[in-house]
């Protein structure tokens, strides 16, 4: 990962500026941890979020609502494809190296799982996620 972007991301997560949400990059309640990275990209590249319609709670960023756009992955120096067990996982998730999922026995714990508290993982706040990014990415 690009170390300058990593530092910006950690700082933004710890800033208290953003409300945390789940199940979307951005919605009317706030941003997920990956949405914060998109927000940094948005501000740097002057690319706006899009609200499809008034009834839709989720904003899209470069046509994505729940996963990182490849443009953000490439800019941040994150891999598009991640080997998970015996196959390649390529749905634009940020997999934490060395963390083994207890149900599958393979390295597939993502920041999304920690942000949302899903797939058997406890929900982590932005400060906890910033610590993980700082130490493990």
């Amino acid at each position: 990962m690009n170390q300058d972007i990593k530092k910006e991301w950690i700082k933004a997560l710890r800033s208290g500026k953003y409300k945390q949400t789940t199940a979307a990059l951005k919605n009317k309640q706030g941003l997920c941890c990956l949405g914060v990275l998109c927000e940094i990209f948005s501000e740097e590249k002057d690319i706006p979020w899009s609200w499809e319609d008034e009834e839709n709670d989720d904003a899209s960023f470069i046509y994505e609502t729940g996963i990182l756009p490849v443009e953000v992955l490439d800019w941040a120096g994150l891999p598009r494809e991640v080997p998970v067990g015996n196959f390649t996982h390529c749905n634009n998730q940020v997999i934490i190296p060395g963390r083994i999922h207890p149900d599958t026995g393979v390295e597939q714990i993502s920041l999304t799982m920690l942000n949302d508290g899903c797939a058997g993982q406890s929900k982590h706040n932005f400060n906890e996620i910033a610590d993980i990014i700082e130490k493990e990415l």
Side-chain angles (χ1 to χ4, degrees):
M1 174 169 200
N2 177 299
Q3 294 303 299
D4 291 333
I5 294 169
K6 178 179 172 177
K7 288 175 190 172
E8 280 186 69
W9 191 13
I10 291 166
K11 182 179 176 183
L13 288 168
R14 291 180 176 152
S15 71
K17 178 180 175 181
Y18 304 103
K19 285 187 157 192
Q20 189 171 3
T21 195
T22 60
L25 292 171
K26 182 176 186 174
N27 59 30
K28 293 175 183 169
Q29 289 74 47
L31 296 147
C32 78
C33 64
L34 301 180
V36 173
L37 184 61
C38 290
E39 188 73 13
I40 296 166
F41 181 88
S42 170
E43 291 171 6
E44 183 175 305
K45 304 293 185 184
D46 196 28
I47 298 173
W49 290 83
S50 173
W51 297 92
E52 299 302 319
D53 58 59
E54 291 298 318
E55 294 180 24
N56 188 354
D57 194 39
D58 299 343
S60 64
F61 189 67
I62 312 176
Y63 307 107
E64 300 291 356
T65 58
I67 61 174
L68 282 175
V70 293
E71 294 87 347
V72 176
L73 285 166
D74 292 347
W75 166 79
L78 292 165
R80 289 186 188 191
E81 298 181 345
V82 179
V84 177
N86 295 322
F87 65 96
T88 300
H89 186 63
C90 57
N91 73 346
N92 301 17
Q93 292 296 321
V94 180
I95 304 296
I96 305 163
R99 290 220 178 184
I100 307 300
H101 195 285
D103 295 337
T104 62
V106 296
E107 190 177 286
Q108 64 177 38
I109 305 296
S110 70
L111 290 179
T112 299
M113 291 176 186
L114 299 180
N115 184 88
D116 292 3
C118 63
Q121 303 303 304
S122 61
K123 187 175 182 316
H124 290 59
N125 65 41
F126 279 167
N127 284 322
E128 293 167 325
I129 292 170
D131 290 344
I132 291 165
I133 293 167
E134 186 172 54
K135 294 172 187 161
E136 300 183 44
L137 279 187

